[in-house]
Amino acid sequence: MTITVPRRRWPSATAWVVTAVVVVVHVLAWQATEFSPAALVAGWEGMADFLSESLPPDLSVLGKSLEAAVITLYIGLLGTTFSIPFALVLALLASRATTSAVWGRQAARAVLSFLRSVPDVVFALIFVTAVGLGPFAGVLALVFHNTGVMGKLWAEAMDESDRGPREALRVAGASGPQIALHAVLPTVLPSLAGLLLYRLDVNVRSSLVLGLVGAGGIGFLINQSIKLFRFDEMVTHILVVLVLVVVVDQASAFVRKRLGA
Amino acid sequence: MLAVSGLRKSFGGRTVLDGFDLRVEAGEFVALLGPNGSGKSTALRCAAGLETPDGGSVEVRGSAAMVFQKIHLVGRRTALDNVCSGALGRLPLHRSLFYPQDVREEAVRCLDRVGLADRALERCARLSGGQQQRVAIARALCQRANVILADEPVSALDPQAAVQVMELLVDLAAEGMAVVAVLHQPELAQRYAHRIVEMRTAVAV
Ligand SMILES: Nc1ncnc2c1ncn2[C@@H]1O[C@H](COP(=O)(O)OP(=O)(O)OP(=O)(O)O)[C@@H](O)[C@H]1O
Ligand SMILES: [Mg+2]
């Protein structure tokens, strides 16, 4: 018996074209972003000044910093919590498991995509003009953006739920909302809770950035200390941020693990 | 109780049912036998309203419940909650957020009928396969179904649990229900069914 060994295949024409396109796009991106290692090397003195000014950190602002960190946490918390009802309604409307009308699903998906595609920072800038500088604008921004992201994640979790129990209830004459309530939601609840905690973690980190554009919290303090060239204060704030992020991340991961989601 | 006549159904040009007839009277237990792919599940799903037939008619006096090989309970909820969900069809939405007391009482009686009243508050995922299938039958009872359409109700069960479920179905028929069960074991069909209907690929007898 003879075994024919397949000949080694050379990359196809498509592979060459794809490679060429990828390379060209990177060259264009390099130029457009003014990517320049030389500028980085030339500016090293500035960086060194910056570092020498920022060390040692000014710990006298630690109290203020911690207070602001708590505000940042609160912004992330309320932004997540208040998006729950909206995300839930839109997810139920957007999921195949709970909405059979195609137009209804598409409308809900369009709303979710819109909310998701507008970055929370942009929402924050809009709400700062409406309700003024401060944490409330940050909460509103997170509610809007997180509704879009969490609604989509939740709808996907519902899509993946087992269709068997849904069919059993349909045969029993249950209506769409009843099926959602008694077959879909009980099944997916642990996944929804896991996704919620994941989003809380992300939103606390986002609320930092929102602070930079005026939505209160520790991000606002960082922005101020940069403007006042108080880099030693800034380092204190950043250390506090580091602790906050690690603590929230670990807590969220711990609870998610307990949920098995 | 159940009258299916001239049922036709095809999926993407493949004819699965071509004039399938089935009558099941109250008090009768009919076994549906046939090779894989002969359209047994499709026939039951059409009768239950889960598929729309291309032609033919389905008549059910009262209401029909379906029992599945994969059982299809909500594993995270209690047996009681799962049985209560059979009653959803007669509950308005505002009363179905939490099951009303009268429904819970009826559900406990249905669980008692299948011998599982003492497991009412246990999560279904913790029950054995045979117990879960009996909970699913209790759900059909709580639906006050007159017709039970069972698609391979015992295929995933060990012989002992299978016998329990078969006897339960026979008893329910004796109490006046119309029961159709798809079976893959001819011995079970011969032992329990009043009548056996054989299906062949795209030709119903
Ligand atoms: N939703 C569907 N879409 C496409 N084809 C389907 C669908 N449902 C069933 N079929 C096809 O119809 C045929 C009959 O399927 P059906 O499940 O009714 O057979 P069955 O007799 O129940 O078989 P089994 O003994 O394996 O359960 C199969 O060839 C199957 O692939
Ligand atoms: Mg089948």
Side-chain angles (χ1 to χ4, degrees):
Chain A
M1 193 177 118
T2 56
I3 299 170
T4 51
V5 178
R7 291 184 69 100
R8 187 167 178 278
R9 287 176 56 230
W10 288 98
S12 64
T14 336
W16 285 115
V17 172
V18 170
T19 310
V21 169
V22 169
V23 168
V24 167
V25 171
H26 276 81
V27 170
L28 291 176
W30 179 289
Q31 288 170 350
T33 56
E34 296 163 21
F35 196 92
S36 159
L40 188 62
V41 173
W44 77 272
E45 272 177 22
M47 295 278 283
D49 281 353
F50 175 83
L51 276 180
S52 67
E53 273 174 47
S54 61
L55 293 174
D58 177 1
L59 293 179
S60 69
V61 291
L62 189 60
K64 227 171 66 178
S65 186
L66 286 173
E67 261 172 48
V70 172
I71 300 285
T72 292
L73 179 68
Y74 286 166
I75 295 173
L77 180 72
L78 288 188
T80 312
T81 306
F82 287 142
S83 64
I84 291 175
F86 306 109
L88 186 63
V89 168
L90 285 167
L92 286 168
L93 290 173
S95 170
R96 257 180 288 119
T98 44
T99 301
S100 49
V102 178
W103 64 267
R105 286 205 303 265
Q106 273 167 356
R109 275 172 196 275
V111 174
L112 288 173
S113 311
F114 169 73
L115 293 174
R116 204 166 57 244
S117 59
V118 179
D120 39 19
V121 178
V122 174
F123 275 124
L125 289 168
I126 295 170
F127 285 120
V128 163
T129 63
V131 300
L133 290 174
F136 183 47
V139 173
L140 289 177
L142 282 183
V143 168
F144 273 70
H145 182 70
N146 190 57
T147 295
V149 180
M150 200 161 74
K152 172 166 189 268
L153 293 173
W154 281 2
E156 280 170 357
M158 292 176 193
D159 283 346
E160 282 161 22
S161 72
D162 183 9
R163 65 184 292 138
R166 305 200 301 258
E167 290 193 330
L169 293 197
R170 221 169 96 205
V171 177
S175 66
Q178 288 175 327
I179 292 174
L181 194 60
H182 290 287
V184 181
L185 286 180
T187 313
V188 300
L189 213 56
S191 343
L192 301 196
L195 291 166
L196 177 76
L197 286 165
Y198 158 69
R199 287 306 301 172
L200 175 66
D201 180 10
V202 172
N203 285 337
V204 169
R205 274 178 279 145
S206 300
S207 66
L208 270 165
V209 181
L210 300 185
L212 292 175
V213 301
I218 196 163
F220 192 62
L221 291 189
I222 293 178
N223 193 16
Q224 270 187 330
S225 40
I226 292 176
K227 279 185 183 151
L228 301 172
F229 299 104
R230 293 298 309 266
F231 298 125
D232 48 350
E233 286 182 7
M234 185 199 73
V235 170
T236 307
H237 300 320
I238 286 178
L239 289 175
V240 169
V241 164
L242 195 73
V243 173
L244 174 70
V245 167
V246 169
V247 166
V248 172
D249 179 70
Q250 291 295 312
S252 151
F254 175 76
V255 180
R256 265 184 286 163
K257 209 156 134 200
R258 294 290 298 268
L259 281 169
Chain B
M1 232 12 138
L2 173 71
V4 169
S5 63
L7 212 56
R8 285 186 296 109
K9 179 77 186 173
S10 44
F11 291 106
R14 267 195 69 244
T15 303
V16 176
L17 296 174
D18 190 12
F20 174 68
D21 299 308
L22 180 68
R23 286 187 69 89
V24 187
E25 302 302 331
E28 203 179 14
F29 184 145
V30 173
L32 202 54
L33 263 59
N36 294 131
S38 55
K40 306 178 296 294
S41 299
T42 305
L44 289 198
R45 290 172 62 82
C46 286
L50 285 174
E51 301 278 0
T52 318
D54 300 335
S57 69
V58 172
E59 262 179 72
V60 175
R61 190 134 11 97
S63 90
M66 194 146 175
V67 172
F68 304 84
Q69 175 183 356
K70 289 189 178 161
I71 303 171
H72 296 334
L73 298 167
V74 178
R76 285 174 31 79
R77 300 193 93 186
T78 63
L80 184 66
D81 281 336
N82 272 285
V83 174
C84 285
S85 71
L88 284 173
R90 57 176 186 275
L91 289 177
L93 186 57
H94 68 271
R95 288 190 71 212
S96 56
L97 185 53
F98 300 102
Y99 294 115
Q101 193 57 24
D102 55 322
V103 171
R104 292 165 63 86
E105 279 162 15
E106 183 169 347
V108 171
R109 286 196 297 278
C110 297
L111 272 172
D112 191 38
R113 176 68 191 80
V114 302
L116 289 171
D118 55 329
R119 313 301 289 273
L121 296 181
E122 213 152 323
R123 283 189 183 201
C124 281
R126 300 178 54 108
L127 301 175
S128 73
Q131 290 167 337
Q132 291 187 26
Q133 195 57 288
R134 276 145 64 204
V135 172
I137 292 171
R139 177 173 65 189
L141 296 177
C142 195
Q143 187 190 329
R144 299 180 189 162
N146 313 79
V147 177
I148 290 189
L149 306 161
D151 192 0
E152 306 194 29
V154 299
S155 296
L157 306 184
D158 66 58
Q160 213 182 338
V163 164
Q164 262 185 332
V165 167
M166 289 303 293
E167 283 177 351
L168 179 57
L169 289 174
V170 172
D171 289 349
L172 292 177
E175 288 165 23
M177 282 191 148
V179 181
V180 191
V182 172
L183 297 173
H184 268 304
Q185 303 98 315
E187 331 69 83
L188 282 183
Q190 264 146 21
R191 195 161 132 211
Y192 292 103
H194 303 137
R195 191 151 60 85
I196 295 177
V197 173
E198 289 249 17
M199 288 189 80
R200 306 216 172 81
T201 307
V203 183
V205 178

